[in-house]
Amino acid sequence: MENVALENRVFNPPAEITENANAKADIYELAQKDRIGFWDTQAKELVTWVEPYDKVLDDSKAPFYKWFVNGKLNLSYNCIDRHAKSDRRNKAAILYESEIGRQVCLTYGMLYREVNKFANALASLGVKKGDRVALYMPMIPEAAIAMLACTRIGAPHSLVFGGFSPESLRDRINDCQAKVLITSDGNFRRGKPFALKNNADKALEDAPSIEKCVVVKNAGNDVDFVEGRDVWYHELMAKAGSYYEPEVMDAEDMLFILYTSGTTGKPKGVVHTTGGYLVQTQATLKYVFDIKEDDVYWCTADIGWITGHSYVVYAPLALGATTFMYDGTIDYPAKDRLWDMAERYGVTKFYTAPTAIRTFMKWGTEFPKSHDLSAIKILGSVGEPINPEAWMWYREHIGGGQAPIMDTWWQTETGAFMCTPLPGITALKPGTATVPFPGIELDIVDENKNSADVGYLVVKSPWPSMLRTIYGDDDRYVETYWKRFGDFYFAGDGAKRDELGYIWVTGRVDDVLNVSGHRLGTAEVESALVECEEVAEAAVVGKKHDVKGEAVCAFVILKDGFEANSELIDKLRKHVGVKIGPIARPDDIIFTGGLPKTRSGKIMRRLLRDIAEGRAIGDVTTLADPGAMQEIASQYSGKED
Ligand code: PRX
């Protein structure tokens, strides 16, 4: 074993997991034989329908697929009522801890009451089925309550990550014409309040569709209140009725919109619907994390991202599990904060991102070592490819040398896991998301759509939790995902296959960056840069980074008369941070006189990446001006780090 390269090591599933696993040995075979039948079984087992569906899949208007046709249900009913009315009534649904140590435990019975009241509160503000509600919130239980209350009414929510800027929030509100914004005074970051409401106020200066802004008192910091528009959450709750009849929704009614970065400057509002989403998120969590009645399951993602939607809130609650939420920084007050909580709450399943794992590795093993993590049975990874070294470290130091790691490949658009091992069945190799989930058909294809061992990752047939469109832009939906390979969904990722047939996702092949597991469009950063009066043109690429995975690197051409200096670098960086959010701030800004372009004017980002990562410059023969590269390279080598 010692001499085997890390990525070629094979780890068999632990016998004690295999013996009692939710997924039985024949799951792949059953799904292979009858894919639609497999999803039919899942839908019948996992969802409480108000009215049954007539048909599992309607593919007559591809790529506008419909799942569980004419089925009727309510999502909040499935996540709460059915548990609150069972023996799970007094089971913890949400366990929460804030950075400053506030603890909350909401049982299913308590969560049921809170959600019903908040649904009434929203209704009192005029929110009806079909209205869009924007959320800009910290990781507090009220965020989950608000999401569930929206689904009870049938009002699609649009969460905007709390780290996004006022402008990003404004654009997202305006795109979906949200009627109400739910936010909070603030939350704690390294012990100090972060004033979220101030950002919300700035966004609302130019968001005319918003009629009311509900504010959760959380950090206790001062906030400005706009008369007639702003209202405290606790005041609404104090007078809200205790029961709200769940709206009967069609399986294909819109559940939520979640904006994500694409290849243009304008984020895409990914639309998910109700029935298929509830089926696949539950089936995947049940089998991949092998959810059991006594689990304390912790997914560290923020609710502002798809992972937070699917695997902090909806799937765990629908399964009647206990989901843990933490709002705060991972090294406050000390670098063992997460392990301290994992021990205190007895966490059994832990799901995080490679960028966090690499940070823990850097800090050293003494932090996890100082805690008893022996309750952890299964680990998970998501957001970017996990490097084999980080995989091994994770297994050894967090998983006690034996917990299997579920490397789950999926996207905002896929809604739920697509490529992932199953803990009691799949032999693992460090760094690969292994095989498609049962009932999912993935392949790797070349330019001509032929199956290949290296190429583009595609989904060959529709799946229940797939996005249904881009909000307000069906053409963009078709163009982005269904143009390149016709009836195969194009994920935007490159991949390769190994001798076991395992899929290794190698990263984005389009103009999308993945910084600390967060998606960013190069065009978004470029358009922020060219807004600055000094900038004539900008090109942004990703550069390998040992913690973040990728860092933003910008090549900038200045207008005549402006001087390239360190103050300008600071200014441009700051502007991008204000415009998009701190995660988008470039690590490097390189001033240059020209950019490498093809004769048709397309920027050759591949060449810029060569420069940013210090490699020899690749093939320049297709460039309009091959000499341009030498100049840029010399500018770059002179750059101060
Ligand atoms: O490039 C892939 C990467 O993250 C992208 C999706 O980003 P987003 O929609 O923000 O969703 C992130 C959480 C699901 C993918 O196109 N990605 C996600 N998971 C993995 C991954 N790359 C490799 N391995 C993974 N497990």
Side-chain angles (χ1 to χ4, degrees), residues 568-582:
L568 184 56
I569 292 183
D570 284 347
K571 180 184 166 187
L572 298 182
R573 262 199 198 131
K574 242 191 215 138
H575 178 77
V576 175
V578 169
K579 175 80 189 169
I580 304 172

Side-chain angles (χ1 to χ4, degrees), residues 260 306-307 381-386 407-413 433 491 493 505 507-508 514 517-519:
T260 189
I306 191 68
T307 313
S381 170
V382 61
E384 56 178 309
I386 179 167
D407 179 355
T408 58
W409 175 86
W410 60 296
Q411 307 178 298
T412 304
E413 293 88 340
D493 280 312
V505 178
R508 302 290 303 194
N514 191 332
H518 301 318
R519 257 165 86 166

Side-chain angles (χ1 to χ4, degrees), residues 246-317:
E247 189 73 36
V248 176
M249 304 294 285
D250 188 90
E252 282 299 329
D253 276 339
M254 199 194 310
L255 178 63
F256 64 79
I257 305 166
L258 183 58
Y259 287 86
T260 189
S261 297
T263 51
T264 71
K266 188 172 180 278
K268 305 177 282 202
V270 167
V271 170
H272 282 286
T273 58
T274 311
Y277 178 82
L278 185 58
V279 172
Q280 195 177 330
T281 51
Q282 280 191 86
T284 47
L285 188 67
K286 174 180 164 182
Y287 295 125
V288 175
F289 280 87
D290 200 33
I291 295 296
K292 296 283 163 53
E293 212 53 69
D294 59 353
D295 271 327
V296 176
Y297 158 84
W298 182 8
C299 165
T300 65
D302 191 279
I303 37 148
W305 309 112
I306 191 68
T307 313
H309 285 54
S310 302
Y311 297 109
V312 175
V313 179
Y314 292 128
L317 294 178

Side-chain angles (χ1 to χ4, degrees), residues 58-66 462 477-478 482 487:
D58 173 0
D59 54 5
S60 60
K61 295 199 178 68
F64 297 94
Y65 297 99
K66 290 188 173 145
Y477 167 67
V478 176
W482 305 99
D487 56 343

